[in-house]
């Protein structure tokens, strides 16, 4: 072994010994007076739908055949009536609309869960007569997003329902489906409500 190689070998052994003696690095202990950061308090959303109590003129369109590549939309006009239940911790929505494709009569029972601080939206049609799987979610910054997993034609479909553009006299609803776990969405239902001035209720989602 020549001198330069030997010197490098000795230096390596010395460095290795120093590392082994030092042992693993330890984090500095927290000061005695420090306290863990307080978790943010979850907001109470039981009044999120108060803005919608009353009577609304509804204009909506729905995709005729979702998840088939169809681009044919069916349009309807009608009335939506929203009533408080349980002092606002639930509400009942009745939609009656008609168009060239026929009539839509839907009911939505919205329930607030004070433990999870989330809403579940449970929809039934007059033809089906039973409530479908609930979409569950909450409002953030004036926008509500609600999700469910359903089976359609033998395949799993992720459902998203969005409440947006909320003002004292108008709001927008949108439903979309995803078959790739939420990477892409196909919108299949869009409704815009305008308050009937004689209807009760005011305010906006918080």
């Amino acid at each position: 072994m020549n001198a330069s190689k030997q010197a490098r070998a000795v230096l390596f052994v010395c460095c290795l010994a120093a590392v082994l003696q030092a042992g693993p690095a330890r984090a500095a202990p927290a000061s005695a007076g420090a306290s863990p950061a307080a978790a943010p308090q979850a907001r109470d959303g039981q009044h999120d739908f108060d803005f919608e109590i009353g009577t609304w003129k509804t204009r909506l369109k729905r995709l005729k055949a979702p998840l088939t590549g169809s681009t044919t939309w069916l349009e309807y006009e009608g009335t939506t009536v929203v009533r408080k239940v349980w002092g606002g911790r639930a509400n009942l929505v009745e939609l009656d609309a008609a168009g060239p494709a026929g009539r839509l009569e839907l009911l939505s029972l919205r329930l607030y869960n004070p433990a999870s601080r989330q809403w579940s939206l449970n929809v039934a049609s007059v033809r089906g007569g039973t409530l479908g799987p609930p979409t569950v979610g909450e409002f953030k910054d004036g926008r509500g997003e609600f999700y469910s997993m359903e089976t359609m034609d033998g395949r799993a479909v992720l459902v998203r329902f969005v409440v947006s553009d909320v003002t004292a006299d108008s709001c927008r609803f949108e439903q979309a489906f995803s078959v790739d776990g939420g990477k892409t969405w196909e919108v299949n239902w869009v409704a815009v409500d305008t308050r009937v001035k004689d209807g009760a209720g005011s305010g906006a989602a918080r």
Side-chain angles (χ1 to χ4, degrees):
M1 178 182 294
N2 60 36
S4 62
K5 289 183 178 180
Q6 187 177 23
R8 287 198 296 269
V10 172
L11 180 60
F12 173 79
V13 172
C14 292
C15 292
L16 179 60
V19 170
L20 292 175
Q21 287 178 356
R26 293 182 175 85
S31 60
S35 58
Q41 186 175 3
R43 61 182 292 277
D44 182 0
Q46 67 176 300
H47 295 291
D48 281 338
F49 280 105
D50 282 6
F51 76 91
E52 202 186 358
I53 304 304
T55 302
W56 303 76
K57 179 180 179 181
T58 299
R59 300 187 66 176
L60 70 88
K61 62 179 182 178
R62 68 179 181 89
L63 198 58
K64 182 177 181 179
L67 303 178
T68 64
S70 170
T71 57
T72 301
W73 289 84
L74 307 176
E75 297 188 358
Y76 302 80
E77 288 192 13
T79 302
T80 297
V81 179
V82 185
R83 299 179 178 88
K84 275 188 181 184
V85 183
W86 294 343
R89 289 173 295 173
N91 59 71
L92 192 64
V93 183
E94 294 180 81
L95 167 65
D96 189 348
R103 187 176 180 186
L104 286 177
E105 293 179 89
L106 301 176
L107 179 145
S108 177
L109 176 61
R110 300 166 174 162
L111 302 171
Y112 182 70
N113 184 330
S116 66
R117 298 178 183 259
Q118 291 184 313
W119 286 87
S120 63
L121 315 184
N122 308 269
V123 179
S125 69
V126 71
R127 292 182 180 180
T130 60
L131 293 172
T135 53
V136 179
E138 60 191 314
F139 278 83
K140 290 183 179 179
D141 300 321
R143 174 186 171 93
E145 291 194 6
F146 308 86
Y147 295 88
S148 66
M149 183 64 74
E150 302 182 23
T151 301
M152 300 180 185
D153 297 327
R155 58 178 170 173
V157 176
L158 183 61
V159 179
R160 180 185 68 191
F161 189 76
V162 175
V163 183
S164 64
D165 300 340
V166 176
T167 72
D169 296 314
S170 64
C171 50
R172 185 179 189 274
F173 305 90
E174 177 187 288
Q175 179 180 269
F177 292 162
S178 174
V179 293
D180 56 12
K183 294 178 181 178
T184 60
W185 294 92
E186 179 187 78
V187 175
N188 57 67
W189 174 287
V190 178
V192 176
D193 281 6
T194 304
R195 184 179 298 281
V196 176
K197 292 301 183 179
D198 291 339
S202 62
R206 294 175 293 174

